[in-house]
Amino acid sequence: ARALYGPLLHNLRDILVTRMAKPEEVLIVEDKVTGEIIRETNRGDGERQRYKVMRECMVYLTHLDHDDTEQLLRDKLRQQVSGVFNPRRLNVVCWAVGSISG
């Protein structure tokens, strides 16, 4: 089964890592009236749901073949070091890593 589905799952991992949605941003702010520290989120429901689905897929794909996922992520990071630096691509890879690690 691995020989049959391995290349397809590798391509799916690559697509997910390349197009990983941005996770929810959490801002810690102080309430001006009460002085309490509050947690503020800045996300639309559609974007939040997209990230959750992509995160879940990444977790399942990592469980199926963690070596391939690790190698793919290392290759993406290596491209940033050895090639032309692209902050957007680096962010996307970091979001993918963060989605797996929790």
Side-chain angles (χ1 to χ4, degrees), residues 77-86:
L77 289 172
R78 195 173 295 116
Q79 288 173 2
Q80 287 297 302
V81 174
S82 62
V84 176
F85 178 73
N86 182 327

Side-chain angles (χ1 to χ4, degrees), residues 26-61:
V26 176
L27 302 173
I28 307 298
V29 294
E30 183 178 352
D31 187 305
K32 293 177 183 172
V33 176
T34 64
E36 290 183 43
I37 303 297
I38 53 175
R39 179 179 169 157
E40 216 175 73
T41 56
N42 256 356
R43 284 302 289 255
D45 286 338
E47 189 67 18
R48 183 180 307 138
Q49 187 61 32
R50 181 173 164 238
Y51 175 75
K52 286 181 179 182
V53 168
M54 292 181 87
R55 180 187 68 202
E56 191 173 325
C57 288
M58 283 298 299
V59 169
Y60 287 135
L61 288 169

Side-chain angles (χ1 to χ4, degrees), residues 2 9-10 12-13 16-17 54-73 96-101:
R2 187 173 285 216
L9 294 177
H10 174 81
L12 182 56
R13 282 182 198 93
L16 283 172
V17 169
M54 292 181 87
R55 180 187 68 202
E56 191 173 325
C57 288
M58 283 298 299
V59 169
Y60 287 135
L61 288 169
T62 301
H63 286 305
L64 289 173
D65 190 348
H66 67 278
D67 291 330
D68 185 56
T69 303
E70 181 180 342
Q71 188 60 46
L72 178 68
L73 292 170
V97 170
S99 73
I100 296 167
S101 64

